[in-house]
Amino acid sequence: MKKYTLAIVSILTLLLNSCATSKDKSAADIYDVTWELEYISGPKIAFEGLYPNKKPQITFDQKETKVFGNNGCNGYSAPYALSGNSLTFGEPGPSTLMFCDGGGEQQFLQQMKKITSYSVDKDGKLILNEGDVATMRFKKVAKK
């Protein structure tokens, strides 16, 4: 009986450790990659109309706990807080402002302020959520 109990405890321990490792792996998946926006919820304007010249991009800097990229027109950087799958962004820092066609810049920045969590789906897409709703989806475009 002791052998069976020990075997069950060992198997459960292995299962729990593998689950914990996979969670840590998903956090590691967001770093050292440039992500390009391919979907944003909310606007009544078509995605291509919001970003006619350039799609927003985001890169997570793990060491500095900042994100940086472009918002479809101008560059930005902002602090972030990550704990498990919870993710929040601080106010973006100052950037050079130039006129942006399409109005997507403000939509992107406003949506970033509402993000509460993230996931990486089976296809390797970064999903940013507001509560339980996926509001932004990014694809990998470059390794850092």
Side-chain angles (χ1 to χ4, degrees):
M1 184 69 168
K2 287 184 180 180
K3 289 181 183 178
Y4 292 116
T5 304
L6 183 60
I8 290 172
V9 168
S10 297
I11 291 171
L12 288 174
T13 302
L14 285 172
L15 287 172
L16 290 173
N17 283 338
S18 68
C19 289
T21 302
S22 67
K23 286 181 184 175
D24 293 340
K25 185 181 181 305
S26 71
D29 286 348
I30 68 171
Y31 299 114
D32 299 323
V33 173
T34 297
W35 300 92
E36 183 176 86
L37 185 69
E38 63 178 22
Y39 166 80
I40 189 167
S41 69
K44 298 189 187 303
I45 301 171
F47 185 78
E48 295 300 325
L50 283 171
Y51 307 105
N53 301 318
K54 185 191 247 184
K55 293 179 180 76
Q57 293 184 338
I58 188 171
T59 302
F60 289 81
D61 184 328
Q62 185 175 17
K63 184 178 174 185
E64 299 291 324
T65 60
K66 286 189 172 192
V67 291
F68 61 90
N70 75 71
N71 53 31
C73 181
N74 291 297
Y76 73 93
S77 70
Y80 70 89
L82 179 67
S83 177
N85 285 347
S86 294
L87 174 65
T88 56
F89 296 98
E91 285 294 321
S95 65
T96 303
L97 296 177
M98 56 186 211
F99 176 76
C100 306
D101 292 328
E105 176 182 38
Q106 288 306 312
Q107 182 68 34
F108 179 78
L109 293 174
Q110 289 170 4
Q111 199 64 42
M112 292 288 283
K113 292 177 190 176
K114 299 176 184 178
I115 298 303
T116 59
S117 66
Y118 85 98
S119 62
V120 177
D121 72 10
K122 63 180 174 51
D123 298 323
K125 308 276 179 137
L126 174 64
I127 311 296
L128 300 184
N129 305 298
E130 178 183 351
D132 293 335
V133 179
T135 59
M136 301 171 90
R137 183 179 63 233
F138 296 79
K139 65 181 178 180
K140 292 180 184 179
V141 291
K143 286 277 191 186
K144 207 170 130 185

